[in-house]
Amino acid sequence: MEFGLTSDQKMMQDSINRTLERVCPLERVRKAAGHEPYASDVLKALVELGVPGIVTPEEFGGLGLSLLDAALAAEALGRHVAPVPFVASSVLAPLALIGVGSDAQKKMYLPKLASGELIAGVAISEQAAGAREKAGITAKGGKLSGKAMFVLEFGGANIFIVADKFAGLHIVDAKAKGLEKISLSTIDATRAIGELNFDNVEAELLSSGNPAATLERMIDAGRIMLAADTLGAGGRMIEKAVAYAKERKQFGRVIGSFQAVKHLCAEMIAELEPCRSLIWYAAYAFDEFPGQSRRMAAHAKAHTSEVGTFVARTATEVHGGMGFTDLLGLHYWFKRIGFDRQALGGPEKVRHDAAVAQGWIGN
Amino acid sequence: MDLSYSPEYEAFRTEVRAFAKQHGASAPRGAMGDMRAWQKLLISNGYAARTIPKEYGGFGAEPDVLKSRIIAEEFIAAGLPMGMAGQGISMLVPTLLELGSEEQKKKFIGPTLRGEIIWCQGYSEPGAGSDLASLTTRAVEDGDDFVINGQKIWTSTAAQADMIFCLVRTEADKPKHEGISYLLFSMKMPGIEVRPLVTMTGRAEFNEVFFTDVRVPKKDIVGERGQGWFVANATLKHERGMLGDPNQAGTRLKALIDLMQNEEIDGRRLMDNPVFRDRLLKLQARVHAMEFHGLRLLTAGLRGEDPGVARLIVKLMGCELNHQLAAFAIDALGELGILYSGSPHLRASGTWQTSYMFDLGLIIGGGTAQIQKNIISERGLGMPREPKAAKA
């Protein structure tokens, strides 16, 4: 019985963090935010560490690691509000291909995703969070029609993995005829999402296994990754709040010596640390206890989102007026957490899935 | 990360399960049954006082937190009561093992473990709560004795207790932390008066204890004179570990899920009400988070790693969660939830209300939530201490 990280896992996370400290400081995030589909130099540095291939089997050029390892990477990316593809292109798309791709499809796509040569957007929002504005994709004779919203890692994607209304999974070339791409601006300028409109668009079916089960796994994995991203972003916000409170003076004292401020910091860390334990368990369960995966992924996502929201506003408050400014840039973390909360299902939706998964109610 | 148990531990689990099956029927339930006989049986099998040396009346096993955990898991699963857990066993025994004299260990640990000596804790005073070190109960030297005068409060089980472990001021002229001594004495002595302290639950879970010229032999001190603060902190460490037990939250959650499945409102299960269900799910996530957090701390302990701030949050979060679970059960029961004191239609013997109120006491006791937040921010996050107003 061992509930903790291995020294390899700690080293891997450390090296991702150190790399991001070097290549992805706040100035770099600012430059990319809203202007570049993603920061290609930051991605390149991550490719050198093997991050995009983290869950891809070694035979396809990846590291062949567990979802817990991927969660540790996601935490590091959230910590640095890194404007790079990861959740969709490096975790969900490979899981789709591993789950239901043919041998030829795996050989064709997995190595390129692992090397960062190819970026995959993932369109599963309707299945994960529910359809808005009557969005949904229908497949007929190998062609797709309809609308997919909130497509993750849309910016700069070369291919898209698209779920249809009947949980079929498809690969679509970003340049396919009849595909209309519309960028969506969100609060979080570090992640470029969008909308896809399909008018009888040519698609490649992923059908070598059980697509519905694979789609569920993708949703679970995505929720765990977003929770880990929030864990990283929230942890960093607490560090920043504590550091600021130790420096900023009012009434002749550092504000961090006032209990009103200290207690806010204590509440933040007391709420966030158990999220780490929950996320580790959910990620481990994803690989080792698939029967618990849906419920634990949902709990990790929903609970970390609730705590993340609390940390984001409280850390901002500890910074006083400065926290509210663009100059300090704390809002990049605040907004990243806000994005994570809604993507692939907000807390209420995700908790509903947890209730269904344990048979408390029907679907 | 590997949550499987090795064959040695699986075998141990099988052994505990067999015990539970064989003896489950004879286990005492609630106030019924012979708790002392049960305790004796548990000690002889190594399911209570497991790591206490044999010479002091324990089972004498090597410390193994995984085995302790397996025992707890299997006892909870079988609905069996764990061994006795009064303040004597949970707090005094570990303190004596760490700091007691050989004579004190021999004299007190065995009978305490067997439930033959019931202890109470004399720490808090009306004027010394969060600032415990400012306590003023005086112990003045007189020949071979100390003569004690003063008052303690929040003393649970004082009326039933045979003995007290008590903090007194022996060095009136020393700084407040250096003038305290830790004494052990009988509660049956002349000059001791116990008055029940009725709390908001309607019961007297605590007492006030008054000392008037109580004579205690000077040799009945744990540690040196003036070292009582150090000795007491060893004890408080054990108390804080005890107050944040995540197993209790798991048991409560289970009862809460049953309640939601079985109680009806307008002929529909509560579980079918999306608002109540969402609140239940929020709490379920918290219970899981604290449960896995406990596993993380367990592993850190096994590895000899310092979990840092992760450990400091357990009392604060654990007590709060238990309180919230009870609060939600009351809301789920609605008007049924306000029934109390043996009323018709009362659910779960009224324990949800009792827990809800008593848990507030636990949030305050053993270091208030606010003191916990000071500890977390100062020791866990390295924030500055409150500037000292004046030297006491």
Side-chain angles (χ1 to χ4, degrees):
Chain A
M1 216 295 305
E2 184 108 36
F3 191 94
L5 304 181
T6 62
S7 53
D8 281 355
Q9 285 171 326
K10 288 180 194 168
M11 269 165 55
M12 179 205 66
Q13 197 184 34
D14 271 1
S15 68
I16 299 173
N17 272 320
R18 269 185 281 115
T19 298
L20 289 171
E21 262 155 47
R22 186 165 48 78
V23 302
C24 192
L26 181 58
E27 309 86 77
R28 181 66 191 95
V29 174
R30 263 186 213 284
K31 203 168 143 249
H35 304 291
E36 302 166 29
Y38 57 86
S40 52
D41 52 327
V42 176
L43 180 61
K44 207 174 148 217
L46 291 169
V47 168
E48 278 166 32
L49 298 174
V51 172
I54 197 157
V55 297
T56 299
E58 285 168 285
E59 56 173 315
F60 298 110
L63 300 179
L65 296 176
S66 69
L67 200 79
L68 177 58
D69 295 281
L72 298 174
E75 184 191 351
L77 294 167
R79 188 178 163 75
H80 293 88
V81 288
V84 286
F86 178 71
V87 177
S89 194
S90 310
V91 180
L92 305 191
L95 284 178
L97 285 156
I98 294 163
V100 282
S102 66
D103 286 345
Q105 287 166 326
K106 288 181 198 168
K107 269 186 205 143
M108 165 110 130
Y109 296 108
L110 283 173
K112 288 183 181 169
L113 288 170
S115 67
E117 257 178 276
L118 206 60
I119 302 299
V122 168
I124 57 171
S125 160
E126 284 72 30
Q127 287 72 18
R132 302 278 175 167
E133 301 189 355
K134 300 196 174 75
I137 302 294
T138 49
K140 205 174 157 191
K143 307 257 176 138
L144 302 184
S145 294
K147 173 164 79 168
M149 293 174 76
F150 311 113
V151 178
L152 296 173
E153 289 157 28
F154 168 95
N158 314 96
I159 57 168
F160 294 102
I161 307 279
V162 180
D164 67 38
K165 280 181 179 171
F166 300 98
L169 288 164
H170 312 263
I171 303 180
V172 176
D173 191 297
K175 292 193 185 117
K177 198 166 157 258
L179 179 65
E180 184 195 17
K181 294 183 283 179
I182 303 169
S183 287
L184 300 174
S185 302
T186 72
I187 49 165
D188 179 13
T190 67
R191 269 113 45 118
I193 68 162
E195 169 184 342
L196 295 172
N197 285 292
F198 295 82
D199 180 11
N200 222 25
V201 175
E202 189 93 40
E204 227 183 289
L205 188 63
L206 288 162
S207 61
S208 306
N210 181 344
T214 299
L215 178 58
E216 281 219 347
R217 300 278 289 163
M218 291 167 69
I219 293 170
D220 293 348
R223 287 173 175 172
I224 295 166
M225 291 305 110
L226 292 168
D229 191 86
T230 290
L231 174 69
R236 187 75 180 279
M237 286 191 93
I238 297 173
E239 284 171 27
K240 284 172 179 282
V242 169
Y244 184 82
K246 285 185 195 171
E247 266 176 26
R248 166 79 173 168
K249 278 189 177 168
Q250 288 287 276
F251 305 103
R253 294 161 59 171
V254 292
I255 61 167
S257 68
F258 290 109
Q259 286 190 337
V261 175
K262 281 161 71 172
H263 287 191
L264 290 179
C265 294
E267 286 163 16
M268 287 194 280
I269 198 77
E271 289 284 359
L272 195 68
E273 275 305 315
C275 292
R276 183 185 310 282
S277 311
L278 181 59
I279 290 167
W280 286 0
Y281 185 89
Y284 178 77
F286 180 87
D287 288 322
E288 300 296 328
F289 316 126
Q292 295 181 24
S293 175
R294 171 115 299 207
R295 169 160 59 111
M296 290 304 172
H299 276 323
K301 170 80 158 66
H303 184 60
T304 309
S305 292
E306 303 285 19
V307 169
T309 301
F310 166 71
V311 167
R313 68 151 287 179
T314 307
T316 305
E317 272 186 282
V318 169
H319 281 83
M322 282 305 290
F324 187 59
T325 64
D326 177 52
L327 180 72
L328 198 74
L330 194 68
H331 63 90
Y332 286 104
W333 283 266
F334 182 99
K335 291 167 181 170
R336 184 106 171 179
I337 290 170
F339 179 103
D340 290 340
R341 182 180 171 100
Q342 306 305 339
L344 301 182
E348 288 76 13
K349 162 66 174 130
V350 166
R351 282 195 289 266
H352 174 82
D353 289 351
V356 174
Q358 52 196 314
W360 287 358
I361 48 165
N363 210 335
Chain B
M1 200 81 154
D2 177 8
L3 298 186
S4 63
Y5 286 91
S6 68
E8 183 201 345
Y9 290 105
E10 288 302 347
F12 183 71
R13 189 182 291 281
T14 309
E15 186 190 311
V16 180
R17 255 181 217 168
F19 173 89
K21 205 169 166 197
Q22 191 189 341
H23 297 283
S26 66
R29 311 270 165 184
M32 308 285 286
D34 185 347
M35 197 62 204
R36 278 189 195 173
W38 180 245
Q39 175 77 356
K40 218 174 135 192
L41 180 69
L42 294 189
I43 295 175
S44 63
N45 283 275
Y47 302 146
R50 181 174 176 78
T51 59
I52 312 284
K54 268 210 163 95
E55 62 207 280
Y56 306 131
F59 180 72
E62 285 296 307
D64 185 330
V65 281
L66 286 186
K67 287 190 177 166
S68 304
R69 189 181 161 85
I70 289 169
I71 296 167
E73 282 173 357
E74 293 303 321
F75 272 56
I76 288 168
L80 294 184
M82 299 291 289
M84 294 174 129
Q87 287 177 321
I89 290 173
S90 311
M91 296 170 67
L92 177 70
V93 167
T95 303
L96 285 181
L97 282 171
E98 204 172 317
L99 299 162
S101 70
E102 193 54 36
E103 193 195 336
Q104 286 165 339
K105 290 182 196 175
K106 286 242 161 72
K107 187 170 166 193
F108 293 122
I109 294 179
T112 302
L113 293 176
R114 292 189 293 273
E116 292 156 16
I117 304 178
I118 304 295
W119 292 82
C120 61
Q121 177 205 56
Y123 281 17
S124 296
E125 296 179 4
S130 291
D131 182 13
L132 183 61
S134 67
L135 60 92
T136 57
T137 292
R138 294 275 301 272
V140 177
E141 208 172 341
D142 183 26
D144 289 337
D145 294 338
F146 285 120
V147 179
I148 299 171
N149 282 283
Q151 183 195 343
K152 295 288 172 181
I153 193 170
W154 304 118
T155 318
S156 25
T157 65
Q160 303 88 316
D162 306 295
M163 301 277 298
I164 183 167
F165 50 101
C166 190
L167 293 181
V168 294
R169 187 159 300 283
T170 45
E171 266 68 31
D173 49 337
K174 289 255 180 81
K176 66 178 181 180
H177 292 92
E178 292 159 35
I180 297 170
S181 295
Y182 189 109
L183 298 182
L184 308 176
F185 53 90
S186 167
M187 285 293 284
K188 313 294 180 202
M189 292 227 271
I192 299 181
E193 189 197 347
V194 176
R195 288 186 209 155
L197 184 61
V198 178
T199 69
M200 66 193 292
T201 66
R203 303 181 194 168
E205 294 103 339
F206 302 97
N207 302 273
E208 292 176 283
V209 182
F210 297 83
F211 304 117
T212 312
D213 294 330
V214 179
R215 297 192 79 90
V216 176
K218 271 163 42 183
K219 66 174 178 49
D220 290 335
I221 188 170
V222 181
E224 301 293 316
R225 249 179 97 148
Q227 275 196 354
W229 182 251
F230 172 69
V231 179
N233 271 308
T235 312
L236 281 176
K237 181 176 71 190
H238 299 295
E239 181 179 50
R240 283 185 190 146
M242 190 169 82
L243 291 176
D245 182 2
N247 287 330
Q248 201 186 2
T251 309
R252 268 192 206 180
L253 178 74
K254 228 166 147 185
L256 202 41
I257 294 169
D258 283 348
L259 186 159
M260 292 276 293
Q261 302 273 28
N262 296 316
E263 290 288 341
E264 292 187 347
I265 181 164
D266 288 336
R268 289 179 70 204
R269 291 186 319 156
L270 278 178
M271 193 61 99
D272 292 325
N273 178 308
V275 177
F276 283 125
R277 193 171 61 236
D278 194 58
R279 280 186 67 185
L280 176 66
L281 285 157
K282 281 186 182 177
L283 288 167
Q284 188 184 34
R286 284 188 173 274
V287 171
H288 283 319
M290 289 310 288
E291 177 194 341
F292 304 142
H293 197 69
L295 290 179
R296 181 174 145 204
L297 295 177
L298 193 70
T299 293
L302 285 170
R303 290 177 176 177
E305 291 173 357
D306 175 13
V309 73
R311 181 183 303 290
L312 301 176
I313 66 164
V314 172
K315 197 257 166 181
L316 177 71
M317 298 303 281
C319 289
E320 182 62 34
L321 178 56
N322 280 330
H323 183 62
Q324 285 178 14
L325 288 163
F328 174 62
I330 291 165
D331 282 355
L333 288 168
E335 286 154 312
L336 289 170
I338 56 175
L339 298 178
Y340 204 49
S341 300
S343 165
H345 310 292
L346 185 66
R347 298 298 200 266
S349 322
T351 50
W352 291 117
Q353 279 289 2
T354 313
S355 301
Y356 176 67
M357 291 187 260
F358 192 70
D359 286 350
L360 197 48
L362 293 179
I363 287 171
I364 297 164
T368 65
Q370 288 64 41
I371 291 290
Q372 298 303 321
K373 288 176 194 176
N374 282 353
I375 293 172
I376 293 165
S377 57
E378 288 166 13
R379 294 187 209 158
L381 299 174
M383 299 183 83
R385 291 183 67 102
E386 186 73 4
K388 285 269 182 290
K391 290 252 177 206

